């Protein structure tokens, strides 16, 4: 049984059109083809931009569930993609989700965040959000701080009222064979640093050396961190989340960052020749 009005996200090519890219030094924001580059960041009310500090030095699942386990999980469809290890603040005000929060705060504090939009519908792969801090406001709204945990795939819908509950199985990356994941992760980190450096230059900021982005993360959680920085491109983020191969995810991210770097290099050259055009 599929999710109501669900449709799978079609995996895009492993790169985005860099012409539609807006960057700032701390995160990468991708704009759709219909959106012109802007000089400010449109903030969703329930999104915290992820940063390297959102991730622990070593990422481990706190739930020992096995990949083939089937469990029931309440789902929260949102127009964003949560990655394992990322931090997400939410403000809960809709009645059915306030009911969900009352239940969760008395049980295991875990629910599924799953990407949904008006065009694509609701996807079948998401990420568990674990409530690590909460505040109940006077009007019965909730303010939550959640942390991404393991990924899951919806196998069947249990009920849709008062909120969506589904049976899910856990997703884990398959072994990547002979791939040198550490070397691949280091390449991705190098591209990210170069992108940040050139982005700083184009925005008139000092070209300081980027801090260590990987911060001792193993390749798999680092690949999730990189995916979390592709802000404004939720379909691409969803495609990265669904991949079950760390090497494939890192390679896709490297290609995206390489194309972005090529674009920024060209833009920087134009700025050098025509400084008044910046």
């Amino acid at each position: 049984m599929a999710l109501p009005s669900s449709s799978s996200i079609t995996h895009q090519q492993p790169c985005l059109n860099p012409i539609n890219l807006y960057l700032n030094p701390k995160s990468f924001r991708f704009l759709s083809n219909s959106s012109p580059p802007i000089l400010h960041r449109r903030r969703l009310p329930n999104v915290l931009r992820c940063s390297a500090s959102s991730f622990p030095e070593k990422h481990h699942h706190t739930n020992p569930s096995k990949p083939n386990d089937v469990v029931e999980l309440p789902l929260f469809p949102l127009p964003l993609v949560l990655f394992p290890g990322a931090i997400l603040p939410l403000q809960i005000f809709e009645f059915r989700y306030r009911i969900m929060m009352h239940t969760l705060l008395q049980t295991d504090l875990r629910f599924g965040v799953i990407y949904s939009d008006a065009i694509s519908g609701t996807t079948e792969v998401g990420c568990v959000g674990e409530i690590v801090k909460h505040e109940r406001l006077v009007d019965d709204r909730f303010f939550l701080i959640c942390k991404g945990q393991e990924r899951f795939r919806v196998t069947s819908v249990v009920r849709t009222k008062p909120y969506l509950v589904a049976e899910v199985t856990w997703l884990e990356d398959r072994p990547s064979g002979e791939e040198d994941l550490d070397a691949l992760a280091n390449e991705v980190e190098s591209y990210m640093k170069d992108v940040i450096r050139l982005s700083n230059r184009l925005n008139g900021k000092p070209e300081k050396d980027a801090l260590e982005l990987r911060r001792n993360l193993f390749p798999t959680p680092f690949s999730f961190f990189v995916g979390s920085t592709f802000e404004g491109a939720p379909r691409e983020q969803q495609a990265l989340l669904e991949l079950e191969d760390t090497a494939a995810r890192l390679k896709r991210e490297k290609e995206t960052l390489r194309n972005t770097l090529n674009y920024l290099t060209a833009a920087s050259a134009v700025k050098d020749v025509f400084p008044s055009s910046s």
Side-chain angles (χ1 to χ4, degrees), residues 43-49 79-80 88-90:
R43 297 187 64 84
L44 295 173
N46 56 356
V47 182
L48 175 69
R49 303 308 192 208
L80 58 89
L88 173 69
L90 291 172

Side-chain angles (χ1 to χ4, degrees), residues 59-62 84-85 110 127-130 147-151:
H59 173 72
H60 299 287
H61 293 312
T62 59
R110 292 158 57 87
C127 179
V128 170
E130 182 174 19
K147 182 177 180 181
Q149 299 293 346
E150 57 266 77
R151 294 172 297 157

Side-chain angles (χ1 to χ4, degrees), residues 8-141:
S8 298
I9 289 288
T10 301
H11 286 198
Q12 304 170 352
Q13 294 299 315
C15 62
L16 299 178
N17 185 347
I19 294 176
N20 302 315
L21 175 68
Y22 171 70
L23 289 170
N24 69 38
K26 295 183 179 178
S27 60
F28 311 106
R29 175 174 170 78
F30 293 88
L31 303 178
S32 65
N33 290 334
S34 60
S35 302
I38 56 178
L39 298 180
H40 64 277
R41 301 175 67 186
R42 178 175 61 86
R43 297 187 64 84
L44 295 173
N46 56 356
V47 182
L48 175 69
R49 303 308 192 208
C50 298
S51 65
S53 61
S54 300
F55 291 77
E57 293 298 306
K58 300 288 186 179
H59 173 72
H60 299 287
H61 293 312
T62 59
N63 189 314
S65 302
K66 298 178 180 179
N68 294 328
D69 287 349
V70 177
V71 299
E72 288 190 8
L73 189 68
L75 300 182
F76 198 163
L78 289 170
L80 58 89
V81 179
L82 177 64
F83 283 85
I87 299 297
L88 173 69
L90 291 172
Q91 186 173 172
I92 308 298
F93 55 86
E94 192 175 342
F95 179 68
R96 56 179 168 168
Y97 294 117
R98 297 202 313 252
I99 295 176
M100 177 196 288
M101 290 305 118
H102 281 288
T103 301
L104 291 177
L105 293 175
Q106 298 175 27
T107 54
D108 67 353
L109 305 177
R110 292 158 57 87
F111 61 98
V113 175
I114 196 160
Y115 175 65
S116 179
D117 65 25
I119 298 175
S120 304
T122 304
T123 60
E124 296 182 350
V125 172
C127 179
V128 170
E130 182 174 19
I131 301 171
V132 296
K133 185 177 181 180
H134 73 277
E135 180 182 359
R136 184 175 176 178
L137 307 178
V138 292
D139 55 0
D140 204 35
R141 289 181 296 121

Side-chain angles (χ1 to χ4, degrees), residues 60-255:
H60 299 287
H61 293 312
T62 59
N63 189 314
S65 302
K66 298 178 180 179
N68 294 328
D69 287 349
V70 177
V71 299
E72 288 190 8
L73 189 68
L75 300 182
F76 198 163
L78 289 170
L80 58 89
V81 179
L82 177 64
F83 283 85
I87 299 297
L88 173 69
L90 291 172
Q91 186 173 172
I92 308 298
F93 55 86
E94 192 175 342
F95 179 68
R96 56 179 168 168
Y97 294 117
R98 297 202 313 252
I99 295 176
M100 177 196 288
M101 290 305 118
H102 281 288
T103 301
L104 291 177
L105 293 175
Q106 298 175 27
T107 54
D108 67 353
L109 305 177
R110 292 158 57 87
F111 61 98
V113 175
I114 196 160
Y115 175 65
S116 179
D117 65 25
I119 298 175
S120 304
T122 304
T123 60
E124 296 182 350
V125 172
C127 179
V128 170
E130 182 174 19
I131 301 171
V132 296
K133 185 177 181 180
H134 73 277
E135 180 182 359
R136 184 175 176 178
L137 307 178
V138 292
D139 55 0
D140 204 35
R141 289 181 296 121
F142 288 89
F143 179 72
L144 312 175
I145 300 294
C146 307
K147 182 177 180 181
Q149 299 293 346
E150 57 266 77
R151 294 172 297 157
F152 62 85
R153 183 184 301 278
V154 173
T155 57
S156 64
V157 173
V158 177
R159 65 175 185 271
T160 60
K161 304 292 183 181
Y163 50 82
L164 187 60
V165 177
E167 287 189 337
V168 305
T169 56
W170 306 116
L171 293 184
E172 291 186 0
D173 279 5
R174 299 183 294 268
S176 296
E178 301 299 320
E179 295 280 357
D180 187 341
L181 295 181
D182 274 311
L184 190 53
N186 289 336
E187 285 185 73
V188 171
E189 181 185 32
S190 178
Y191 274 114
M192 289 184 74
K193 288 180 177 179
D194 288 341
V195 166
I196 292 171
R197 177 179 53 80
L198 276 181
S199 178
N200 279 336
R201 182 181 183 189
L202 287 170
N203 284 282
K205 298 181 179 181
E207 293 186 52
K208 297 179 180 178
D209 291 335
L211 299 175
E212 183 183 357
L213 299 172
R214 192 171 168 189
R215 300 185 62 192
N216 296 323
L217 288 172
F218 292 124
T220 297
F222 178 66
S223 73
F224 292 139
F225 162 65
V226 176
S228 75
T229 67
F230 289 1
E231 297 177 2
R235 295 188 186 183
E236 175 65 13
Q237 289 182 308
Q238 182 66 27
L240 293 168
L241 186 74
E242 292 182 10
L243 289 174
E244 297 179 59
D245 185 310
T246 299
R249 189 179 304 109
L250 287 168
K251 288 178 180 178
R252 182 168 181 147
E253 292 163 346
K254 184 177 78 169
E255 184 66 20

